[in-house]
Amino acid sequence: MPPRPEWMASDRLLTASEVLRLAGIFVKSYGISKIRFTGGEPLVRPDATGIIESVARLGVETAVTTNGILLHHFLPLFREIGLSGLNVSLDTLNPQKFTRLTLRNAFTQVWDNILRALDRGFHVKLNMVVMRGWNEDELVDFVGLTRNLPLHVRFIEYMPFRGNGWNSGSVFTYREMLESIGREYPVEKIEDPKYSTSKSYRVPGFAGTFGVISTVSQPFCGTCNRIRLTADGTLRNCLFTRDEINLREALRKGEPVEPLIEKAVLLKHRQHGGLPGFGEQAVTTTLSARSMAAIGG
Ligand code: SF4
């Protein structure tokens, strides 16, 4: 979380009915079968309930990625719409470190909400971004959670985004993660769901599983079937793209958005949004101007 987020002017944000119109086009014209609400933090939007409910009515799989702070208010809605995926971002199990990383004193609330969601039968995935020097020493503790809890923990390699302090030395790689976990637990590879972004594992006999998202050291862009629509109505064909296509303007002028959607898909690069590798120089000169908080995971 940036210390001083730049809030977007509200007239730049898509209204609830614009979100719904665009979602309808993606579903009916392009066969999109799953819509995930992510952030920033999607549940802080005052009209989040209505938007999520209406999108679910389009008959798509609906999923949410949240920081977990407001999750308790939304569990009844998620049950009602049959939410298919609930991801909670949690980078540490240490309450003090949590406050330093997120600038929110909310670890207990988030943890209680994760347990509440599990209690109500949701399949919860925990997303942990592994940053060398910050939290790589907690990998084993996170895997330990899966002993009794039916969680899927996902360890995500630290990726470079505008203003997040990334450097190549801060990446704790997929291989290093497996080595570190393997020193404590026997680890077994399990089958990955189709188009999964993570490589899945489990410790035999444990209730839950874990996986690694190796975007930096072992990219999987060849099977990436995602496209992102930001809160201000731009389409991004990759987390790292610099080619943003503005759908909001066209929508407000009453122009068709389909040609723009098709252009965005055709502009997709083979890998990493066309970023020429993850060297320091390449990253600082070619990163998109958007921070991760303004893209959504
Ligand atoms: S294409 Fe972009 S969004 Fe898709 S997996 Fe690769 S880096 Fe991630």
Side-chain angles (χ1 to χ4, degrees), residues 78-98:
F78 293 168
R79 158 97 19 258
E80 196 184 309
I81 63 167
L83 192 83
S84 70
L86 178 57
N87 294 4
V88 181
S89 307
L90 184 69
D91 294 335
T92 177
L93 297 173
N94 174 318
Q96 286 79 34
K97 210 193 278 185
F98 179 96

Side-chain angles (χ1 to χ4, degrees), residues 264-282:
V265 171
L266 290 173
L267 279 173
K268 190 172 169 79
H269 285 266
R270 186 171 155 267
Q271 188 168 296
H272 293 150
L275 208 67
F278 282 117
E280 248 79 10
Q281 177 65 17

Side-chain angles (χ1 to χ4, degrees), residues 159 197 215 219-226 228 237-241 268-273 278:
M159 292 176 247
T197 53
T215 312
F220 42 86
C221 301
T223 56
C224 175
N225 63 354
R226 288 128 212 261
R228 292 169 171 81
N237 58 20
C238 169
L239 275 177
F240 296 109
T241 189
K268 190 172 169 79
H269 285 266
R270 186 171 155 267
Q271 188 168 296
H272 293 150
F278 282 117

